[in-house]
């Protein structure tokens, strides 16, 4: 989400738009991705992140005060800024931002799917809370002037809303036109080390792959709370030196170019940018057909393979089919690079700018 925001903001700023980014938990850190000097940034210092990992009772006691503080500070800032359009990325502000009377049109964009909360698969009181908040989401999204989803698949799940529109994320525009040669015996995966990304399922699959293709390696790039568990699983399956966990890098292009296949083992997504980025350099892809995104991005059998969600056996077989056939990799890679152009920045951003113009011309 941060990379998508940075790319979008930089593009608009360079075209002369006045772009302002407001954060709640920056904690005086610099942005991970470089922002144009024309962009103004404000952090209103709410620090929701200090509640991460805490129990239900702790959050019940502390979250309402943070939300109150958030609403108060954001209201003051938005009234001072007097923006034409304010976009929420479906974070904590979604509960109150449409109530702020700053004269702006309010747009909501979701980077996951309608089923995000339910896909956490939490138990007990958390399961009840996730179900309740999902029901509240159905009412919340109707309050915005426009509700942006990332895939046509997700649009169908939300139903026939009068304010809903599909605008996919634009792919990262590399500084040079380049393609992977697909001869390096390496598979790559990218994402946070958490429940959503399902990397433990990928490592389980690689345990089988390694028996047939011991000269191939798997690199998983990211970081997160599941790193110790993933490291333990690698040791358990005797995959040390074969499966590498590498911390996130800003220069991800080199990692894509060094690979021959990208695999995605997620339980859920919104629009998986790693698929689009990998395809843009000609990598064939293998992915679980999770909600939402892979089914919009991948053309089955042409630029990659879609695997039924959670079917580790078929994920293994599809990876090995590509690993065994360099001609198939090359064929799929060429189609992948061509198909990725659907997500080229100019085309996607033209749709955003058309939306802005429509909202500006619309009377309050």
């Amino acid at each position: 989400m941060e990379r998508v925001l940075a790319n979008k903001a930089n593009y608009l700023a360079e075209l002369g738009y006045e772009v302002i980014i407001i954060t709640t938990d920056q904690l005086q850190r610099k942005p991970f991705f470089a922002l144009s000097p024309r962009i103004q940034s404000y952090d209103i210092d709410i620090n929701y992140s200090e509640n991460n990992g805490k129990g239900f009772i702790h959050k019940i006691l502390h979250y309402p005060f943070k939300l109150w503080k958030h609403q108060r500070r954001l209201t003051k800032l938005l009234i001072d800024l007097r923006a034409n359009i304010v976009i929420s990325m479906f974070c904590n502000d979604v509960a109150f931002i449409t109530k702020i009377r700053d004269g702006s049109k309010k747009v909501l964009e979701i980077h996951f799917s309608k089923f995000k909360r339910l896909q956490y698969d939490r138990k007990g009181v958390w399961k009840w809370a996730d179900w309740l908040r999902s029901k509240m989401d159905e009412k919340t999204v109707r309050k915005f002037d426009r509700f942006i989803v990332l895939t046509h698949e997700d649009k169908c799940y939300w139903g026939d809303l009068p304010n809903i529109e599909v605008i996919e994320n634009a792919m990262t525009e590399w500084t040079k036109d380049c393609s992977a040669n697909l001869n390096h015996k390496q598979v790559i995966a990218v994402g946070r080390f958490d429940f959503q990304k399902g990397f433990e399922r990928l490592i389980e699959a690689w345990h089988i792959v390694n028996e047939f293709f011991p000269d191939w390696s798997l690199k998983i790039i990211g970081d997160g709370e599941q790193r110790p568990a993933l490291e333990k699983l690698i040791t358990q399956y005797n995959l040390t030196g074969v499966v590498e966990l590498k911390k996130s890098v800003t220069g991800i292009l080199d990692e894509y170019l060094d690979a021959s296949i990208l695999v995605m083992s997620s339980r859920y997504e919104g629009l998986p940018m790693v698929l689009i980025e990998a395809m843009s350099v000609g990598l064939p892809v293998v992915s679980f057909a999770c909600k939402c995104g892979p089914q919009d991005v991948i053309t089955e059998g042409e630029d990659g393979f879609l695997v039924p969600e959670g079917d580790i056996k078929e994920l293994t077989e599809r990876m090995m089919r590509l690993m065994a056939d360099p001609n198939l990799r090359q064929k799929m890679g060429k189609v992948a690079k061509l198909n990725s152009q659907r997500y080229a920045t100019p085309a996607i951003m033209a749709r955003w700018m058309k939306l802005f113009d429509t909202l500006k011309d619309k009377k309050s």
Side-chain angles (χ1 to χ4, degrees):
M1 287 174 64
E2 186 174 350
R3 174 159 40 187
V4 169
L5 172 60
N7 290 345
K8 189 185 303 180
N10 286 335
Y11 187 91
L12 292 170
E14 292 306 311
L15 287 180
Y17 282 75
E18 182 181 0
V19 181
I20 301 165
I21 296 176
I22 302 173
T23 55
T24 62
D25 287 57
Q26 200 63 23
L27 302 176
Q28 299 183 351
R29 295 170 296 188
K30 293 182 178 180
F32 189 78
F33 300 101
L35 295 177
S36 166
R38 301 179 184 181
I39 295 173
Q40 300 177 60
S41 297
Y42 296 87
D43 186 77
I44 52 178
D45 191 25
I46 308 301
N47 197 13
Y48 285 108
S49 57
E50 70 178 356
N51 288 342
N52 291 347
K54 302 293 176 62
F56 187 82
I57 299 300
H58 181 278
K59 292 190 176 183
I60 286 293
L61 293 175
H62 293 87
Y63 181 74
F65 173 70
K66 288 185 181 294
L67 196 65
W68 172 82
K69 184 167 63 172
H70 187 178
Q71 182 171 358
R72 184 178 179 184
R73 292 181 181 179
L74 184 59
T75 297
K76 182 180 184 305
L77 182 55
L78 289 184
I79 289 174
D80 289 343
L81 294 173
R82 307 298 296 184
N84 299 109
I85 297 168
V86 172
I87 302 173
S88 167
M89 297 182 76
F90 220 126
C91 296
N92 296 286
D93 54 61
V94 74
F96 59 79
I97 197 167
T98 55
K99 300 175 184 177
I100 299 177
R101 303 305 175 194
D102 61 322
S104 68
K105 297 295 183 182
K106 304 297 192 303
V107 175
L108 177 64
E109 59 174 323
I110 185 169
H111 287 260
F112 293 92
S113 77
K114 181 181 180 183
F115 304 101
K116 171 190 174 182
R117 303 186 197 281
L118 300 180
Q119 288 164 327
Y120 292 154
D121 196 32
R122 298 193 286 190
K123 308 301 180 184
V125 68
W126 283 114
K127 183 175 182 178
W128 175 84
D130 289 336
W131 177 86
L132 179 61
R133 293 180 71 189
S134 292
K135 285 296 180 183
M136 293 171 61
D137 288 342
E138 294 178 5
K139 296 181 179 180
T140 298
V141 301
R142 295 176 178 270
K143 299 176 182 179
F144 286 79
D145 294 288
R146 193 72 92 249
F147 174 43
I148 305 300
V149 296
L150 297 177
T151 65
H152 292 278
E153 179 188 357
D154 196 33
K155 181 176 184 288
C156 293
Y157 297 140
W158 286 99
D160 190 22
L161 298 176
N163 62 339
I164 195 168
E165 183 175 339
V166 178
I167 303 181
E168 299 89 348
N169 286 332
M171 67 183 183
T172 299
E173 298 289 341
W174 311 118
T175 56
K176 54 184 178 180
D177 182 27
C178 46
S179 299
N181 64 33
L182 307 184
N183 292 322
H184 190 189
K185 294 182 177 181
Q186 181 169 282
V187 174
I188 190 175
V190 182
R192 297 181 308 278
F193 297 170
D194 62 9
F195 173 80
Q196 176 197 350
K197 300 301 181 182
F199 288 136
E200 77 285 355
R201 306 191 295 182
L202 177 54
I203 293 172
E204 183 180 344
W206 201 265
H207 174 55
I208 302 171
V209 169
N210 190 56
E211 295 180 14
F212 296 90
F213 295 88
D215 52 340
W216 279 70
S217 62
L218 170 65
K219 183 184 292 187
I220 307 176
I221 299 176
D223 210 352
E225 66 271 14
Q226 284 194 353
R227 174 178 281 274
L230 296 178
E231 290 174 339
K232 183 178 180 181
L233 198 59
I234 290 170
T235 302
Q236 176 184 325
Y237 283 135
N238 295 316
L239 294 173
T240 302
V242 177
V243 177
E244 177 187 1
L245 302 181
K246 182 173 180 177
K247 288 195 174 183
S248 300
V249 293
T250 53
I252 191 68
L253 174 60
D254 291 336
E255 300 292 349
Y256 288 132
L257 292 174
D258 202 33
S260 294
I261 303 166
L262 179 126
V263 61
M264 198 180 79
S265 53
S266 296
R267 292 180 167 88
Y268 58 92
E269 286 287 343
L271 179 68
M273 295 306 297
V274 295
L275 290 182
I276 299 170
E277 289 176 346
M279 290 168 64
S280 76
V281 299
L283 284 182
V285 295
V286 180
S287 173
F288 282 137
C290 63
K291 295 184 178 68
C292 287
Q295 295 177 77
D296 273 47
V297 176
I298 298 173
T299 304
E300 167 63 24
E302 294 186 14
D303 51 25
F305 291 121
L306 283 166
V307 177
E309 158 59 18
D311 190 337
I312 294 176
K313 181 175 181 293
E314 185 165 343
L315 184 76
T316 303
E317 291 173 353
R318 293 300 193 181
M319 283 193 291
M320 291 196 296
R321 182 177 173 186
L322 280 170
M323 293 160 69
D325 192 339
N327 291 329
L328 181 61
R329 292 200 304 272
Q330 293 290 341
K331 180 181 177 181
M332 281 191 165
K334 289 179 181 178
V335 179
K337 188 176 180 67
L338 179 64
N339 288 349
S340 72
Q341 293 307 305
R342 294 174 294 180
Y343 304 96
T345 297
I348 297 297
M349 292 308 300
R351 288 157 63 187
W352 273 104
M353 291 184 287
K354 181 180 178 181
L355 171 62
F356 296 155
D357 290 340
T358 300
L359 292 175
K360 282 171 58 181
D361 293 339
K362 186 177 179 181
K363 294 182 180 180
S364 301

